[in-house]
Amino acid sequence: MIRGIYTSASGMILNQKLMDITANNVANVSTTGFKRDVAQVESFRNMLVYRIYDKTSSPDNAIGYMSLGSDVSRIVSDFSQGLYIKTDEPLNLAIRGNGFFTVEVPESEGGQQVLYTRNGAFTLNSRGELVTIDGFYVLGQNGRIVLQNHGQIRIDDQGNIYQNGRFVDRLRIVDFQDKQLLRKVGNNLFEADAGAQQIPFSGKILQGYLEGSNVNSVQEMVNMINVLRAYEANQKAFTIQDETLQKAISEIARK
């Protein structure tokens, strides 16, 4: 009975985590370039059940296996393509296919860290440097990209940047062999693990477009309802077992 209480409690904890993940996806349904999170659920190590008081019993003639509950083993990102949003803004860029824009982010120690994003909503700062909406520097093959605050800007499908017909730089766009080695660090940015292997970019750049979130709001709401029902079922099972245990203890005490 105690085991059942623990199993029900672990189910409630699991569904709370799943609800948090789903709620975060729903909150970012309008975030440019956002990639939805998906939880990978794993059961606890199975316990072998056999006849305890049977001296001849052994794992070879076990009754079966009993799971002691489940938990979220890891959270992975779904890197499927989002819908394209036409803006006609020259500094709005979307990636068709695989790949990431490279940005430079200041660290608390004063250094600079290289991170990656699918959010191509760029602008120019007061010094004419190409930056994200959060002010992080967008990198090209030669480092930070500097443009004039006036003049025609054209970016071709390979990321080559031209202003007034003059070549300026090429966007540093990278792809990874195993995208599950990328970790979200906030502000719609990804950090690559040390073992992440880069591969050549094979997609295309669309100027005047943004990539929308790949979150399906209807599907996420369905997931939210399913998680809520599972939580309520575990809660009810927990309550019933707790009441049964309390009743058993009371009757034993009277005897």
Side-chain angles (χ1 to χ4, degrees):
M1 190 175 296
I2 297 295
R3 184 186 298 125
I5 290 177
Y6 286 143
T7 302
S8 298
S10 71
M12 294 166 65
I13 295 171
L14 166 65
N15 283 285
Q16 181 62 59
K17 293 178 180 179
L18 295 178
M19 181 64 76
D20 291 340
I21 294 170
T22 304
N24 182 65
N25 288 339
V26 172
N28 286 281
V29 69
S30 300
T31 302
T32 303
F34 179 80
K35 299 303 178 186
R36 64 186 288 265
D37 291 326
V38 180
Q40 291 185 349
V41 179
E42 225 174 51
S43 63
F44 293 153
R45 186 184 298 273
N46 289 332
M47 175 178 286
L48 189 65
V49 181
Y50 57 94
R51 295 183 292 275
I52 298 175
Y53 297 108
D54 184 355
K55 295 181 180 180
T56 63
S57 179
S58 69
D60 294 331
N61 57 356
I63 299 173
Y65 290 90
M66 177 180 293
S67 175
L68 299 180
S70 302
D71 198 8
V72 176
S73 59
R74 62 181 300 205
I75 300 174
V76 298
S77 297
D78 173 12
F79 289 100
S80 61
Q81 188 85 54
L83 297 176
Y84 297 117
I85 304 170
K86 185 175 177 61
T87 65
D88 291 325
E89 292 291 333
L91 295 180
N92 285 172
L93 306 175
I95 298 176
R96 175 181 289 174
N98 298 321
F100 298 86
F101 300 107
T102 307
V103 298
E104 190 178 68
V105 179
E107 294 181 310
S108 56
E109 295 81 5
Q112 299 292 329
Q113 183 181 15
V114 175
L115 299 175
Y116 308 94
T117 185
R118 292 281 296 194
N119 186 353
F122 301 142
T123 186
L124 297 179
N125 62 14
S126 59
R127 298 184 297 273
E129 295 167 313
L130 189 65
V131 295
T132 68
I133 56 176
D134 296 306
F136 304 138
Y137 300 106
V138 181
L139 297 181
Q141 298 298 326
N142 299 318
R144 297 178 183 178
I145 300 171
V146 181
L147 299 168
Q148 299 176 5
N149 289 315
H150 54 83
Q152 183 183 18
I153 298 174
R154 182 177 68 86
I155 302 175
D156 65 19
D157 60 2
Q158 294 304 306
N160 295 305
I161 304 173
Y162 301 87
Q163 186 166 37
N164 297 325
R166 180 180 63 86
F167 175 76
V168 178
D169 202 347
R170 182 177 182 178
L171 289 166
R172 189 187 302 179
I173 305 172
V174 300
D175 194 9
F176 295 90
Q177 188 172 25
D178 185 1
K179 295 180 181 59
Q180 298 309 322
L181 295 178
L182 299 177
R183 180 172 58 89
K184 286 185 177 181
V185 293
N187 294 312
N188 222 358
L189 298 171
F190 292 90
E191 180 183 21
D193 288 349
Q197 182 178 354
Q198 294 187 9
I199 58 177
F201 172 61
S202 59
K204 292 185 177 181
I205 300 299
L206 303 178
Q207 186 179 21
Y209 288 83
L210 291 175
E211 180 187 3
S213 169
N214 67 350
V215 174
N216 184 326
S217 58
V218 175
Q219 183 61 52
E220 294 299 328
M221 293 303 296
V222 172
N223 292 342
M224 190 173 291
I225 293 172
N226 290 336
V227 169
L228 180 59
R229 288 175 176 172
Y231 183 91
E232 291 174 343
N234 280 281
Q235 185 181 41
K236 187 174 182 179
F238 182 94
T239 302
I240 292 173
Q241 291 174 97
D242 181 58
E243 292 174 349
T244 304
L245 180 61
Q246 185 177 1
K247 183 178 179 181
I249 293 174
S250 300
E251 291 182 353
I252 292 173
R254 283 198 298 267
K255 295 179 180 180

